[in-house]
Amino acid sequence: MTFRTRYDAVVVGSGHNGLVAAAYLAGAGQSVVVLERNDWLGGATASQRVFPDYEAYLSRYAYLVSLLPPHIVRELGLAFETRRRRTASFTAYTDAAGVARGLVISNVDGQRSRDSMRELTGSDEAWAGYARVLRLEAALAAHLWPTLLEPLRPREHFRQRMRSAEEREAWEGFVERPLGEVLERHVADDVLRGLLFTDGKIGVFTHPHDPSLLQNRCFLYHVIGNGTGEWRVPVGGMRALVDALVARGRAAGVTYATGAPVTRVHAGGAAHVVEFEVEGLPRRVDATRVLVNAGPRAFATLLGEPWTPRPTDEGSVVKMNMLLRRLPRVKARGVSSEEAFCGSFHMDEGYGQMLASHGAAAAGMLPDPAPAEMYCHTLTDDSILAPDLVAQGYHTLTLFGLDMPYRLFERDHDARKARVAELYLQGLDRICDEPFADCLARDREGRPCLEVKTPQELEREVGLDLGNIFHDTLTWPFADDPSLAGTWGVETRYPRIYRCGSSAVRGGAVSGIPGRNTAMAIFGELGLQPPAVA
C-alpha cells in the first residue's frame, strides 16, 4: 500500500467513532488515513462469521443501538437503519404457587405490558410506579439528549433548568443520589426493581447504593438515547453501520489500512509524527492532527505516558454468542418463544439476586446463579443469516453477562471461562421447557455453536482496557469539571491530538458522538461548517 508522507489527519483505530470522524473530515476536503491493527475494520462494532460452517454474521461484541443520533446518519448520508423490537423485555419468574411465569414489556402493546405486570404483582400499583420511573427518565433525557452533539455545558446549567417537581426529582434521583434510592422508592417488586436496575450495571461492576454513582452514569447512557432510551436492532447487524461508514469515507477519499498497528505518536509543533507497521516493516507519516480512537492505555503508550487505571475503570462483562437450530420453548405460561427472545431476555436478574451476585464477585467467586440478558437479532432482522438458514428456522442469540469483573478471570482463566458457560446454560435450562443445548447448532465436528468472551479476551482482541466496553470510567453527559465547559470533551493536553472514542467525555456505547464531536472540534479550529443535511 502506498502512503502519503503527510496527512491532515491520522486516525488510530477503526472503531465506529474513528470511522465517523474520518468521514466528516474527508468530506470537508481533509486528507485522512485510518490505521487499524486488526485485519478487519470496525473494532468492537464488527459483525463476523463466528461459526465458519454457517453463513451467519453475528454482531460479535456490540449488539443493539440506542445512542446513535439520526442526525449523524442524515448528515453523512449513511445507508443504515435500525428496527424496533416488538418486545422490549422478558423476565422469567416463578409465582407463589410455583408456576413459571414471565413479565413481558411490549414495545407495541401497552395493555399487554400492564396485564403482565398485574399478573406479577396482583395490582396496578406496580405499573404506576414503573410509569413514574419512566417519566423521570424522560424528563431528564429531554434536557440531556439534545446537547450531546454540542459543546459541553456545565452541571450547574442543567441543575438550574430542572424547574418542575418531576424534573427536580429526576435530577436528584439520577444525578445527585445513588440510583437505588429512587428505584426503591417507586418500585416494591423485586423482579421489577431488578429489570430497571440492569441498565445501571451493563458492563460495569457496581451496585444500587454505590457511593461513586457509577451505576447512575451507566443508567443514564442506557435510558436517554434519542430521548426515549429505546434499544433497536441494526438491520444487517453492526457490519451494516461499519460498511456504510467505510463507503462514505472511501467516496470522500479516506485511506484505510488494516494490519497496520500504530506503535508511537511523537507530538510536534506544526506536525506530529506517527509510527506504525505494515507487514512487520516500520513506517512513519507526518500528521497535522492525530485522532486516537483507542482506550486510555493505548493513548498513554502511544504518547510515552504512564497509565494508571482507577478502580472504576474495571470492566464487568462476559459475552456469549450462539447459533440455534431452533428457538427453545419457554416454561412461562402464556408466553411464546418469539415474544420472550425477541426483546431483552432477563435471566437471574432480580434485585436481590444481583445484590448477591455482586457480593459474590466482590469476594472473588463466580456468581451462581449468574445474571445475564440476551436477545435474538434474527427475530427482528433475519438478513444476517443466509436464506437457507432462515428457511430452516435458525436463529442467533447474543448474551451479555453481568457481575463478571475482570478480576475474576485473572487466575484460572480457562477453567472459569468454561464454568461461566455452564452457569449460563444452567440458567437457560431453568427457564426453557426443553434442554437448551439441544437447540444449539453444531459444527462439522459436532461441537455446539457457542463462543464465550471474557473481559481478558475483549481486552486482547478489540483493545477494551480491563475488558471495559466503555474504555474507562463513564463520564456524566455534561461537564462535571467546570473547566471543560465549552469544549467538545475530546481535546487533550497535546494540541491537535484528540480522544476520538469511548474514553472521550460523553463516550461509550455505539453512538458515533465522540467521532462527530472530534470532527466538530477540528472544524471549529479550521473555520469549517458541518455538511448540510438534505
Side-chain angles (χ1 to χ4, degrees):
M1 173 177 266
T2 301
F3 294 92
R4 300 170 56 151
T5 58
R6 179 164 180 164
Y7 290 89
D8 293 320
V10 171
V11 180
V12 181
S14 72
H16 76 286
N17 280 303
L19 298 179
V20 166
Y24 274 107
L25 294 176
Q30 299 284 289
S31 57
V32 183
V33 62
V34 176
L35 302 174
E36 168 58 50
R37 67 171 188 168
N38 289 312
D39 59 2
W40 74 85
L41 297 174
T45 43
S47 295
Q48 294 170 323
R49 194 164 168 170
V50 177
F51 309 111
D53 291 342
Y54 296 92
E55 192 177 347
Y57 292 90
L58 282 76
S59 298
R60 196 171 202 170
Y61 306 106
Y63 305 148
L64 295 167
V65 176
S66 175
L67 288 160
L68 175 64
H71 187 80
I72 292 178
V73 175
R74 293 194 299 267
E75 214 167 38
L76 290 178
L78 301 179
F80 175 72
E81 64 174 310
T82 61
R83 190 170 292 163
R84 167 170 260 196
R85 301 179 294 171
R86 290 183 60 82
T87 302
S89 68
F90 164 82
T91 307
Y93 68 95
T94 302
D95 68 16
V99 177
R101 304 279 187 179
L103 172 63
V104 175
I105 304 297
S106 173
N107 276 327
V108 297
D109 185 350
Q111 190 61 49
R112 171 70 169 123
S113 303
R114 287 190 290 273
D115 290 346
S116 185
M117 200 169 293
R118 187 183 305 113
E119 182 179 72
L120 168 68
T121 64
S123 76
D124 289 324
E125 292 181 14
W127 180 262
Y130 176 74
R132 175 67 174 178
V133 173
L134 296 189
R135 289 197 302 273
L136 295 176
E137 293 173 6
L140 200 52
H143 290 283
L144 294 174
W145 175 254
T147 70
L148 297 189
L149 295 180
E150 300 173 355
L152 283 163
R153 299 180 189 185
R155 170 190 283 256
E156 186 63 16
H157 166 86
F158 291 102
R159 189 189 68 78
Q160 292 181 357
R161 289 176 65 87
M162 303 297 143
R163 297 188 177 97
S164 72
E166 199 162 71
E167 288 170 333
R168 289 193 295 272
E169 184 183 3
W171 181 262
E172 181 74 9
F174 298 145
V175 178
E176 299 289 351
R177 300 293 305 164
L179 177 62
E181 294 180 10
V182 68
L183 298 184
E184 291 165 13
R185 181 163 63 248
H186 291 294
V187 177
D189 185 81
D190 183 83
V191 171
L192 188 53
R193 278 184 183 175
L195 168 64
L196 288 166
F197 185 62
T198 56
D199 284 329
K201 286 178 67 74
I202 301 292
V204 296
F205 192 52
T206 187
H207 60 88
H209 295 278
D210 187 341
S212 76
L213 303 188
L214 177 61
Q215 73 280 29
N216 294 49
R217 283 167 274 162
C218 184
F219 184 82
L220 285 179
Y221 281 100
H222 281 91
V223 302
I224 67 172
N226 286 286
T228 67
E230 181 182 344
W231 288 83
R232 297 171 66 93
V233 175
V235 176
M238 286 299 177
R239 70 170 179 164
L241 176 60
V242 172
D243 290 348
L245 287 167
V246 171
R248 179 68 177 86
R250 280 208 170 100
V254 177
T255 298
Y256 301 96
T258 56
V262 177
T263 55
R264 189 66 189 265
V265 174
H266 300 277
H272 309 301
V273 177
V274 179
E275 296 180 352
F276 60 104
E277 295 179 356
V278 176
E279 296 180 348
L281 298 176
R283 305 290 294 267
R284 58 189 291 156
V285 297
D286 292 341
T288 305
R289 289 175 169 81
V290 177
L291 289 64
V292 181
N293 181 30
R297 173 160 37 194
F299 184 94
T301 300
L302 293 176
L303 274 301
E305 298 178 342
W307 176 67
T308 305
R310 297 158 291 185
T312 49
D313 288 343
E314 182 183 23
S316 179
V317 57
V318 164
K319 292 180 179 287
M320 191 161 83
N321 300 313
M322 294 164 276
L323 181 66
L324 306 182
R325 293 187 298 112
R326 67 175 188 278
L327 288 177
R329 299 183 303 274
V330 293
K331 293 178 181 177
R333 181 175 294 179
V335 181
S336 69
S337 297
E338 289 75 15
E339 187 175 46
F341 285 101
C342 174
S344 296
F345 183 113
H346 295 274
M347 182 171 74
D348 295 318
E349 289 186 334
Y351 199 66
Q353 285 179 305
M354 289 192 294
L355 290 174
S357 64
H358 179 272
M365 299 179 291
L366 290 175
D368 181 6
E373 55 194 65
M374 68 193 132
Y375 92 107
C376 175
H377 183 116
T378 45
L379 282 171
T380 303
D381 163 48
D382 62 16
S383 68
I384 66 171
L385 296 178
D388 65 311
L389 295 181
V390 174
Q392 294 174 66
Y394 279 69
H395 284 288
T396 65
L397 276 183
T398 46
L399 177 148
F400 196 112
L402 282 64
D403 284 330
M404 292 291 173
Y406 187 93
R407 70 188 77 172
L408 287 185
F409 300 91
E410 288 188 292
R411 62 180 179 84
D412 301 326
H413 177 274
D414 292 352
R416 290 195 160 198
K417 173 180 172 178
R419 177 58 181 154
V420 165
E422 291 176 356
L423 290 170
Y424 292 141
L425 292 175
Q426 289 170 9
L428 285 164
D429 280 343
R430 289 194 297 273
I431 296 171
C432 295
D433 201 25
E434 58 184 311
F436 181 83
D438 290 352
C439 300
L440 285 167
R442 294 184 176 270
D443 65 17
R444 66 184 64 190
E445 303 298 328
R447 295 169 299 203
C449 290
L450 177 154
E451 75 160 9
V452 177
K453 296 293 182 184
T454 64
Q456 278 74 0
E457 288 169 321
L458 296 176
E459 180 179 58
R460 182 174 66 251
E461 294 171 11
V462 282
L464 300 178
D465 296 336
L466 297 176
N468 191 328
I469 61 172
F470 307 113
H471 280 188
D472 60 356
T473 302
L474 275 168
T475 66
W476 293 104
F478 47 75
D480 201 36
D481 177 351
S483 69
L484 294 178
T487 72
W488 289 93
V490 300
E491 300 87 346
T492 71
R493 68 186 184 88
Y494 299 98
R496 306 184 321 282
I497 297 180
Y498 314 86
R499 292 188 185 274
C500 177
S502 290
S503 60
V505 179
R506 301 178 289 194
V510 179
S511 75
I513 291 170
R516 185 187 186 275
N517 286 348
T518 302
M520 295 305 109
I522 294 171
F523 282 4
E525 295 164 6
L526 296 173
L528 300 174
Q529 295 296 318
V533 177

